[in-house]
Structures are given as structure tokens and as C-alpha cells.
Amino acid sequence: MMSMELIPDANEYMARNPIIMKVTASSMVSYDVKVGGVTVFSGNGQDSFSVNLAEVFRAYFQKTPKWVASPSKPWLMTLEDIEAVRLNGTVYIEDSSYGMGRNFKVYNGGVSERLYRSLMDNGSDIFKAKIMNMYANFFWTVRSSDWRIVMKETELSPLPFLTPSGYTLFVKERVTGQQVSVVFSTDTVAAIDFSEVRRYFYETYGTLANVFDVLIGNRFSCQVVIEQAQAAWERYTLKWRNSFGVYERMELVGNAKVSPFGEDDVETYQVYDSVTDRYSLRRDRLKVQNTLSLSTGVIRPAMFMALQDLLQSDEVYLQGFYSSDVRVIPSVEGMQIPVKGTEPMAFDVKLQFCDSETLAIDDISATGFSRGGVFSEEFSEEFD
Amino acid sequence: MEKQKFSNIVTAPEIASQSSVLYKKWKEDHVGSQKDFYIFMTVPSVERDRFLARFERQRLVSGAVVSNIITATEV
């Protein structure tokens, strides 16, 4: 006889939180862990043993979440490949006479150990409390854990969520009360792009709205507020993979100053000069590892946790510096966050570029070598 | 780190139903289509602040959120 249980007992798991398989048997048991039906890990165990499967699944989240707008609803986005955020997992065990298996879904990301323990103590998990809780803030954002999500107008990015199958989702703007809706018939991962929702209301009704209520059926779920950003001469954004495994954006302002040269010793060597019969000094091209200093601008206490999530993230990109994203390692020196913060604060962020360069040349775009027209976009070639 | 003394959430500029009137006023000293006006209104700039300062605004307060609804009436 043998038995298997998954702890916690659920159909959905986060890959950065434990997925404990506990097997009780009286003989040798072999087990297979499958992703999308393909065996990716196998093992054996004797008698009673436990394995944390989360580590296995974590290694198989290698794709980048790319959103594609729905043709009929440009504000609703779906993933090009859902395996970027969700894997179909299976675990199968068998001994010499009997086999049994469990299917479940594993999502990229996780919650803090403190929250995980607290939810478990209350017989809940992040899916019941947030992700599949239709009448709360179910979006995969770390900006807010309450019912109001605030995004600066310069930080808009699609807000992902698990679609509530069989329900209708409404987004209602608060200025004139117009709304858009979508009915979900399948259990999948989608996202709402609130910049496109705003554009839709403007183009359809001439209304420019920045406060949106999200409802499931007739019931209120949460509110999304697009906050005014300050005018800034220089503005960049950091795109980071948040704790839920999807990208969010935070703006950085200020006068960016690059420190290309570190304090590393210059590598030199000597070359014999036969004319003077002396050794002459040479050096290789210098390796440059850019470091950038910027400010977050003034952010409200609700965003302190998002900033912490950004600083903890293993995948952060700087946008707006070059024509393409630059992977960076962010840090805030001597960061101190008030425990009961009530006042907005600004933080100085240091960004170390991940790639070092030995050659320096500015960006060359696809049309970089051609002379642009006088009013290139507005006027025809004949006019120029 | 510097501290600031405000914590209300001020929304980006909003327009209830007079976007076409505001667009005409914008066209008086700008060049562009409705699409350009939309971009102008949704991207923070000193120029946008200067343009919006010409008009009366209706403020709606809902908890910590302060909405700025721009009207077509000039100050």
C-alpha cells in the first residue's frame, strides 16, 4: 500500500512557495515529475519521504511573458505563450504493483514566507485570498494589496489576472460612467491594459478618464487610478519581474549621470621597442561597466513595498536609456523605510549595467544612416 | 532621501465630455490631430500644465483620490 498527498492540498501552486509531495509507502517507490506531460525529473524513495517539487518547476519558467492585444478589444490582452506564467504539472508515483498521479497548475512567482505562513495558518492561500478572489484586488501587482491600485501615468503596463471563467468583467470609468465588458468562458491568464481602456473611452465617447472601477458581474472588485506624473526633462522607467512573475514598471526621474569607469586597475603590459632598446607601456581597451544614478521621484508609502520588490527582483530592465531595454542591477544605498510610513518619499537609485563593454559606439537605428525629411511624419517625400 | 508633505492621489487630467472644444482651443496654438491632442493630454509636460492652467477645473474628491476634470471654460 502507498499513498501520496500534496501539501498544501490544492490544484494551483506558486513555484516560489513550497509544493511538498509526501509519500507514505512500505516499499520502494519511484516518482516522475512532468511539465506539460513531459517527464522532467524522476526519483526514488523508500518508505515515507517528502520532496519539494517547487524547485523542479521553478527551473522550467524560462519564457518571457509577451502580451498580445485582442483584435476586438485592444484593452484586453492575452499571453503569446501561457507557459511563461503557468505550467501544467503532474506528479506520478508507482511501486511494483500500483501507480497514482495528481495534476495541478503551477504559476511563476510566489508570496513572502511571512504571508505564506499567515495564510496557511488561516486555512487559506494566495489563490483563495487574492488571485482567484473575484471580489478583491485580483491583479498580479505588488503596487497595492488593497482594493485601490494606483499607477502613475508614466508607469502604465498591462495588469494580469486569472480570468474568472463564466463571469463578466466590467471596467467602468468614473467621470461619466461609461463601461466596457468582457465575458470569460475559459480559465486562462489575461491582462487589462488601462492605457488602452482610457484610449477606448476617449475615441468612443470623447471622455478622458483616469479612475476606473473593476467589477465582476454587479459586484465591485477593485479600483485603478492613473495618477498624475510630474513633468520632467529626463524620465526613464524600470521594468521588473515582480513577485507574481510578471512585469511592472516604475519611473525614474532626474539628471542621469553615467559613471562608466570603475575603480578597477587598468591592465597594462610592456612592449619591447627595438629602436630605443627600451620597454614601452601599453594597455588593452578599457572595459566599461556603466553605473547610473537616478531618483524614484516622490512615491507614496503604498509604493515602498513595490520598490522593495523591484530591488529584490532578479530581472530588472532600464527603459528609455538606449533604444532597447538594458538589463541592470538596481540598489538603494542605506535604504530606510518607515515602518508606519505616512509621508511620500523619494529614493536615489543606483543602477549597475549588467553588461560590460570594451567598445563604444552610439545606437544605430534601422534608418540611422538616412537623412530624415524636414517634417518626416507629416509631409510626403515629394514635399521634402 | 527627501521628504514631501502630501499624500493625496491626484489623478492625471480628465475630461468629461468637452474634449472636442478643448481640442479646438488646443489647435489655436498647436499643430496636430485629435490623436496628437490625446498624446499631449496623456503625457506629462510643462506645456500640458501651461495649457491646462488656462481652464477651470472641477475637483472631485473620493477618499484620498482627487480627480481633476478639465472644463472648456477659460479662467
Side-chain angles (χ1 to χ4, degrees), chain A residues 184-214:
Chain A
F184 294 111
S185 55
T186 53
D187 156 33
T188 186
V189 178
I192 296 178
D193 186 343
F194 280 90
S195 63
E196 287 299 323
V197 174
R198 182 170 66 173
R199 185 191 297 277
Y200 173 83
F201 285 127
Y202 180 78
E203 289 176 355
T204 312
Y205 307 109
T207 303
L208 182 58
N210 283 306
V211 183
F212 305 95
D213 287 345
V214 180

Side-chain angles (χ1 to χ4, degrees), chain A residues 153 202 206 208 210 228 344, chain B residues 6 10 14-15 19 34 48:
Chain A
E153 55 187 325
Y202 180 78
L208 182 58
N210 283 306
Q228 184 171 17
Chain B
F6 62 88
V10 180
E14 298 185 291
I15 304 170
S19 58
Q34 277 269 13
R48 181 180 78 173

Side-chain angles (χ1 to χ4, degrees), chain A residues 170-356:
Chain A
F170 294 92
V171 179
K172 187 175 181 181
E173 53 90 358
R174 292 285 298 263
V175 179
T176 59
Q178 303 291 346
Q179 61 186 31
V180 290
S181 65
V182 58
V183 183
F184 294 111
S185 55
T186 53
D187 156 33
T188 186
V189 178
I192 296 178
D193 186 343
F194 280 90
S195 63
E196 287 299 323
V197 174
R198 182 170 66 173
R199 185 191 297 277
Y200 173 83
F201 285 127
Y202 180 78
E203 289 176 355
T204 312
Y205 307 109
T207 303
L208 182 58
N210 283 306
V211 183
F212 305 95
D213 287 345
V214 180
L215 301 97
I216 299 291
N218 294 325
R219 279 184 66 179
F220 177 85
S221 295
C222 56
Q223 186 177 75
V224 174
V225 178
I226 300 176
E227 187 183 15
Q228 184 171 17
Q230 299 303 311
W233 178 250
E234 274 185 66
R235 191 188 307 278
Y236 306 92
T237 49
L238 284 180
K239 181 177 88 171
W240 84 100
R241 203 186 269 256
N242 71 11
S243 288
F244 293 105
V246 291
Y247 293 120
E248 293 211 58
R249 296 172 75 209
M250 182 181 283
E251 74 162 6
L252 295 176
V253 292
N255 299 320
K257 290 192 178 68
V258 176
S259 311
F261 303 108
E263 292 168 4
D264 295 344
D265 292 337
V266 177
E267 288 177 14
T268 56
Y269 58 95
Q270 290 186 320
V271 173
Y272 177 70
D273 181 358
S274 59
V275 178
T276 57
D277 190 29
R278 298 214 177 236
Y279 283 93
S280 177
L281 202 61
R282 297 282 189 277
R283 74 162 201 206
D284 281 332
R285 284 191 66 87
L286 275 181
K287 192 183 279 184
V288 165
Q289 187 132 30
N290 284 333
T291 304
L292 202 65
S293 299
L294 281 163
S295 169
T296 57
V298 179
I299 57 173
R300 283 170 302 94
M303 281 296 287
F304 294 170
M305 196 54 82
L307 177 62
Q308 191 179 323
D309 190 64
L310 185 157
L311 296 171
Q312 285 183 292
S313 178
D314 55 351
E315 204 180 324
V316 184
Y317 300 92
L318 175 66
Q319 298 182 309
F321 191 76
Y322 293 128
S323 54
S324 55
D325 295 356
V326 185
R327 193 160 183 165
V328 293
I329 299 169
S331 60
V332 173
E333 274 179 37
M335 186 180 186
Q336 285 189 317
I337 300 175
V339 179
K340 294 188 188 296
T342 53
E343 291 173 342
M345 295 170 75
F347 297 89
D348 295 325
V349 181
K350 192 173 141 190
L351 305 170
Q352 186 182 10
F353 286 30
C354 291
D355 296 322
S356 59

Side-chain angles (χ1 to χ4, degrees), chain A residues 23-154:
Chain A
V23 178
T24 309
S26 53
S27 60
M28 178 70 84
V29 173
S30 65
Y31 63 90
D32 290 331
V33 181
K34 299 178 182 183
V35 172
V38 178
T39 302
V40 295
F41 188 80
S42 298
N44 296 304
Q46 181 85 35
D47 302 330
S48 297
F49 64 93
S50 297
V51 181
N52 186 358
L53 304 176
E55 292 167 22
V56 178
F57 290 107
R58 214 177 299 158
Y60 286 86
F61 284 106
Q62 290 171 347
K63 293 174 182 168
T64 303
K66 285 183 185 159
W67 297 104
V68 182
S70 156
S72 57
K73 292 180 170 62
W75 49 272
L76 183 69
M77 315 199 91
T78 50
L79 280 166
E80 197 174 87
D81 187 347
I82 200 166
E83 286 196 356
V85 298
R86 183 173 77 181
L87 299 174
N88 288 320
T90 305
V91 60
Y92 185 81
I93 63 168
E94 62 181 347
D95 61 9
S96 56
S97 58
Y98 178 68
M100 61 193 297
R102 277 280 299 269
N103 294 317
F104 46 87
K105 289 187 166 63
V106 184
Y107 292 82
N108 196 3
V111 298
S112 67
E113 285 179 27
R114 177 187 52 76
L115 177 61
Y116 183 79
R117 195 175 291 117
S118 159
L119 289 168
M120 287 284 280
D121 288 347
N122 293 311
S124 183
D125 60 35
I126 189 65
F127 292 94
K128 290 177 194 160
K130 179 178 169 73
I131 292 174
M132 297 171 90
N133 185 353
M134 291 179 290
Y135 306 119
N137 169 7
F138 49 70
F139 290 109
W140 300 2
T141 174
V142 294
R143 291 176 177 278
S144 160
S145 53
D146 67 17
W147 59 275
R148 182 177 279 148
I149 303 162
V150 182
M151 291 190 284
K152 279 188 185 170
E153 55 187 325
T154 46

